[in-house]
Amino acid sequence: MRTHLLRFVFLSFFLPVAALQAQTLHPGADACRHTRLNYFGRLAAHPAARIKYPGDAGIDVTYYKLDLNITYTPNFLRGAVTVGLKSAADNLTRFFLDLSDAMQVDSVLAGGRKLTFSRQPDQLLIETPQPLAKGQGLAVTVYYKGIPGSTGLGSFAFATHGSQNQPVIWSLSEPYGARDWFPCKDSPADKADSSDVWITAPRTFVSVSNGRLERVLDNPDSTTRTYHWRNRYPIANYLISVAMSNYALYEQVYKPAQGDSMPVTHYIYPEALTENVRRTLGQTTNMLTFFSDYFGPYPFLKEKYGHAQFGWGGGMEHQTISSMGGFNTGIIAHELAHQWFGDKITCRTWEHIWLNEGFASYAEALYQEAIGGTPAYRAYMAAEMTDARRAKGSLYVRDLTDVDNIFDSYRTYSKGSVVVHMLRWVVGDQKFREILRTYMASPLAYGTATTEDFAAIASTVYGQSLDYFFKEWIYGENYPTYRATWSSSPAAGSAPYRVQVTISQTTGTANPAFFTMPLPIQVKTDAGDTLLTVFNDRQSQTFELAVKGRPTELVIDPENRILKQVQDVTQVVTGLNDPVAVTALTVTPNPVSDRLTLRIDAAQPFSGRLSLLNPAGQEVASLPEQSFTTGRHTVSWTVGQLAAGRYLVSLSTGDRRLTKAVILTK
Ligand SMILES: [Zn+2]
């Protein structure tokens, strides 16, 4: 699912531009968040129902057949839903299905026999015809009717589109909304082996659902038409959908490297199917090729992939048929990637939703990388990191009662995708692909997974334990803020200079107190730059690096591999017998446009000289030498007259020197 529609519209225009553009994207994203909050506002009206989760543990669902009769005038649904199940308990005499109180149940049948049933809040209790042994099967058909309510993200909607107010009807069940319109076991953990959806509606409707279209029947009443959609892949109940309107059909064919070709069907409002939208939708087959190559074959090759337009401001990855509020590259890639991450392998519980959303969001970056190269990928990830730094709490969702919390965009989406980006950095490109393909081909395929399932596969493929990574990034909170102090000295041998760097980090939390990560460090020297990686596994740690020239600057993680902040990088240039007088030099603001404020902490009196050096180490401005007493000093310095660029602020005392990098902007 994706709600950040506006953001991705902007991204498609701004993609080649650098990370600074990220800020301009936020107003759009925020507007969407507000829209979403309005949906959640409705949730408050139904507090009791939403936290009954995860369904009846006494049954294991094997099959759903939804036979639905739906009208727009009046808004109404009449259904006969058959649930195939096996008893998961010995001597099962009754069980419940989740079904909203708004739906009135007329009867429940099994093998032509009426069963006794009763209602509990948002549940339908059914007595079995005879006690069921563990593993024994039963198929019950529930006859019910009503006006489906709309909870969560808007689980069932009767709406209109276009200037003619054409009716459109759709479902969006994730996470707890399926019970609003059909009796089910409302849990992603229990997938049915297959499903059928029959939709009977007035002939103005094209009715769309999961799997292959088996048949379209014009009924003898001469006013209604029945669509039968057949799905023979395992499916989670929340991925079963209906979408109905006066759709126009735009068809493509996907030809996989091996196997038969597959239809790609776009059901679009007639007035929305412009040349531009056709072109945008046309990317779907390219994406199918790209993702199949990256993740393994498209999971539902024997059926289809497609889109059905709906009136919700985002997209939803219904199995083989994503529901879409609009069309742009990002959201098409996102929902398509969900067919692997979410539909083929489904998060077993909503606590592990990042296994769906983190990977689908990251897949957008992968596709950007495929079409726009590394700069497009980095721009995308820089924007995701800006959002991810606003994430609160752990990626593992600790409060499932609030839909807004499960689908928090900063955490579940942005931090989720950034964590996948960091995993790729930790294991390397080749192992990363291998991990994803192994996961998709594992026994988890067409089933469900937890973080631990994925972590076990990642560690096995990588060849060493990645437990530290998942522990800190999935179950931990926040991200590291790094500080570095460094000095250099000439060395003997092939590397002419030796750099000693002390990295320390704070996290603002005890969970974790520090992040263990391979940390890239770039050392700029007068003989070229060196990029090295240290394995940083302590809160404060000193590393020795060998570089090829006289070092001028040190940069932490220049390619943005890690979700982090870098607070301070200080160079200490020291002579042999010089006492340590200055304990801190801070420079604000940074970047600066006019006036710098320097703060100097002195452990003992000293006299020193402040100067500004260009990247070549040449002095371009200076202040007269001055005396400092013990304690804190503040020095103001107007530098706006200099050209924009990178500079080093230098404080020299005796033969000891401290420098701070500063960026001057205009
Ligand atoms: Zn999603």
Side-chain angles (χ1 to χ4, degrees):
M1 187 204 305
R2 217 353 156 175
T3 55
H4 276 196
L5 199 52
L6 287 174
R7 172 174 165 170
F8 294 96
V9 174
F10 291 148
L11 258 187
S12 58
F13 291 124
F14 288 147
L15 252 182
V17 187
L20 280 177
Q21 287 288 0
Q23 268 109 39
T24 65
L25 302 177
H26 289 290
D30 282 342
C32 258
R33 284 177 65 77
H34 284 272
T35 310
R36 204 148 60 90
L37 285 173
N38 289 339
Y39 279 105
F40 299 139
R42 292 193 227 161
L43 184 63
H46 307 266
R50 303 305 117 186
I51 52 175
K52 285 202 193 97
Y53 162 79
D56 191 332
I59 59 169
D60 172 15
V61 172
T62 54
Y63 174 66
Y64 287 109
K65 177 188 175 186
L66 279 59
D67 187 352
L68 308 173
N69 194 310
I70 303 175
T71 54
Y72 185 83
T73 318
N75 292 174
F76 205 75
L77 182 154
R78 193 179 292 275
V81 167
T82 301
V83 181
L85 59 90
K86 279 187 204 154
S87 173
D90 283 322
N91 203 33
L92 187 79
T93 56
R94 57 191 234 156
F95 64 93
F96 73 84
L97 296 174
D98 299 289
L99 181 65
S100 161
D101 296 340
M103 292 316 221
Q104 183 193 323
V105 175
D106 295 327
S107 57
V108 181
L109 270 72
R113 221 171 112 186
K114 283 201 172 189
L115 303 187
T116 305
F117 68 90
S118 59
R119 300 302 301 267
Q120 291 283 330
D122 285 335
Q123 289 181 353
L124 170 64
L125 269 76
I126 300 170
E127 316 254 328
T128 58
Q130 67 279 322
L132 299 183
K134 193 168 183 177
Q136 194 177 346
L138 177 70
V140 298
T141 303
V142 179
Y143 295 85
Y144 68 105
K145 58 179 184 269
I147 306 168
S150 190
T151 63
L153 305 165
S155 49
F156 203 92
F158 295 91
T160 60
H161 68 84
S163 56
Q164 309 288 314
N165 292 321
Q166 288 289 335
V168 53
I169 302 170
W170 73 82
S171 67
L172 195 179
S173 298
E174 193 181 22
Y176 306 129
R179 67 188 74 167
D180 285 322
W181 60 284
F182 73 96
C184 55
K185 178 172 170 184
D186 207 354
S187 162
D190 191 359
K191 283 182 158 179
D193 302 330
S194 62
S195 63
D196 287 272
V197 176
W198 297 65
I199 307 166
T200 300
R203 289 188 184 178
T204 48
F205 284 100
V206 175
S207 302
V208 184
S209 186
N210 320 96
R212 267 174 47 176
L213 182 58
E214 274 299 286
R215 61 182 71 88
V216 181
L217 299 167
D218 283 339
N219 296 311
D221 60 20
S222 80
T223 61
T224 64
R225 183 169 288 155
T226 300
Y227 286 77
H228 173 200
W229 293 89
R230 177 181 186 270
N231 155 54
R232 289 298 169 265
Y233 289 98
I235 189 165
N237 75 309
Y238 78 93
L239 294 170
I240 296 175
S241 67
V242 296
M244 307 158 60
S245 193
N246 63 330
Y247 291 127
L249 175 59
Y250 165 42
E251 277 191 287
Q252 293 181 281
V253 175
Y254 165 60
K255 294 191 181 69
Q258 285 166 348
D260 295 336
S261 59
M262 181 190 81
V264 177
T265 52
H266 312 284
Y267 292 91
I268 310 297
Y269 302 153
E271 72 276 12
L273 191 52
T274 59
E275 268 314 302
N276 209 12
V277 165
R278 273 176 195 269
R279 220 174 10 252
T280 305
L281 286 169
Q283 302 172 96
T284 310
T285 47
N286 294 338
M287 290 180 192
L288 274 160
T289 302
F290 173 69
F291 288 146
S292 298
D293 182 49
Y294 213 110
F295 308 145
Y298 174 70
F300 311 108
L301 264 177
K302 290 181 187 155
E303 296 183 348
K304 72 165 188 302
Y305 185 62
H307 298 114
Q309 195 165 2
F310 72 165
W312 188 70
M316 176 62 211
E317 65 274 19
H318 296 125
Q319 193 158 305
T320 71
I321 182 82
S322 292
S323 300
M324 307 289 278
F327 306 96
N328 59 65
T329 303
I331 202 156
I332 293 171
H334 181 104
E335 307 308 336
L336 174 58
H338 266 310
Q339 301 297 316
W340 285 263
F341 299 95
D343 296 6
K344 184 181 186 186
I345 300 183
T346 308
C347 60
R348 191 168 306 148
T349 73
W350 300 117
E351 281 108 337
H352 302 278
I353 186 68
W354 81 276
L355 290 173
N356 292 14
E357 299 303 346
F359 285 92
S361 301
Y362 184 70
E364 295 177 51
L366 284 180
Y367 191 68
Q368 290 303 340
E369 186 179 28
I371 59 173
T374 304
Y377 174 82
R378 288 197 183 154
Y380 184 95
M381 289 318 305
E384 286 288 68
M385 284 186 177
T386 302
D387 282 355
R389 277 189 281 268
R390 299 173 70 171
K392 297 224 173 2
S394 65
L395 210 42
Y396 177 86
V397 181
R398 293 180 194 279
D399 176 8
L400 297 180
T401 61
D402 179 358
V403 175
D404 189 18
N405 185 51
I406 298 172
F407 295 101
D408 181 282
S409 64
Y410 296 134
R411 195 191 61 235
T412 297
Y413 291 75
S414 297
K415 191 170 179 183
S417 71
V418 168
V419 166
V420 181
H421 163 80
M422 290 192 286
L423 177 66
R424 179 177 169 185
W425 157 243
V426 169
V427 302
D429 281 8
Q430 201 187 329
K431 286 287 182 190
F432 177 70
R433 273 179 180 251
E434 208 179 317
I435 287 168
L436 298 192
R437 291 182 71 98
T438 305
Y439 177 52
M440 277 298 144
S442 73
L444 302 167
Y446 300 103
T448 63
T450 62
T451 301
E452 288 61 41
D453 293 326
F454 177 75
I457 287 172
S459 294
T460 303
V461 172
Y462 182 49
Q464 47 184 295
S465 174
L466 292 163
D467 287 353
Y468 76 89
F469 179 88
F470 293 99
K471 187 165 183 284
E472 65 198 14
W473 288 113
I474 307 301
Y475 292 97
E477 302 181 7
N478 300 357
Y479 54 86
T481 295
Y482 293 110
R483 272 188 199 78
T485 307
W486 66 280
S487 60
S488 70
S489 52
S494 55
Y497 277 85
R498 191 177 294 279
V499 170
Q500 193 175 68
V501 55
T502 300
I503 306 284
S504 60
Q505 48 170 303
T506 51
T507 61
T509 173
N511 175 29
F514 62 91
F515 284 80
T516 293
M517 283 297 277
L519 181 66
I521 296 175
Q522 184 187 43
V523 182
K524 299 187 175 187
T525 81
D526 59 5
D529 303 341
T530 305
L531 186 60
L532 297 148
T533 301
V534 298
F535 195 77
N536 179 210
D537 60 357
R538 279 179 227 156
Q539 187 146 29
S540 181
Q541 203 166 8
T542 299
F543 302 94
E544 290 241 347
L545 316 173
V547 295
K548 54 193 167 193
R550 188 182 62 81
T552 55
E553 196 182 341
L554 184 140
V555 184
I556 304 284
D557 188 18
E559 291 168 344
N560 236 356
R561 306 285 190 179
I562 297 174
L563 180 66
K564 67 180 184 304
Q565 255 169 357
V566 178
Q567 197 168 62
D568 224 22
V569 178
T570 304
Q571 183 187 5
V572 180
V573 180
T574 139
L576 279 180
N577 300 313
D578 198 38
V580 178
V582 184
T583 54
L585 168 65
T586 61
V587 179
T588 53
N590 192 4
V592 63
S593 59
D594 183 40
R595 181 173 281 265
L596 277 177
T597 300
L598 313 177
R599 209 183 69 203
I600 297 154
D601 289 333
Q604 60 194 71
F606 73 97
S607 66
R609 186 166 169 279
L610 283 158
S611 57
L612 213 57
L613 313 177
N614 67 16
Q618 296 156 329
E619 189 172 297
V620 293
S622 64
L623 296 176
E625 177 148 337
Q626 51 190 306
S627 296
F628 297 89
T629 53
T630 304
R632 176 162 295 181
H633 304 267
T634 302
V635 176
S636 278
W637 193 0
T638 301
V639 295
Q641 71 281 6
L642 296 168
R646 288 185 89 88
Y647 293 92
L648 289 174
V649 174
S650 162
L651 173 60
S652 311
T653 165
D655 51 4
R656 188 177 165 84
R657 194 174 80 204
L658 269 83
T659 66
K660 270 294 156 65
V662 62
I663 295 169
L664 178 61
T665 57
K666 291 288 170 179

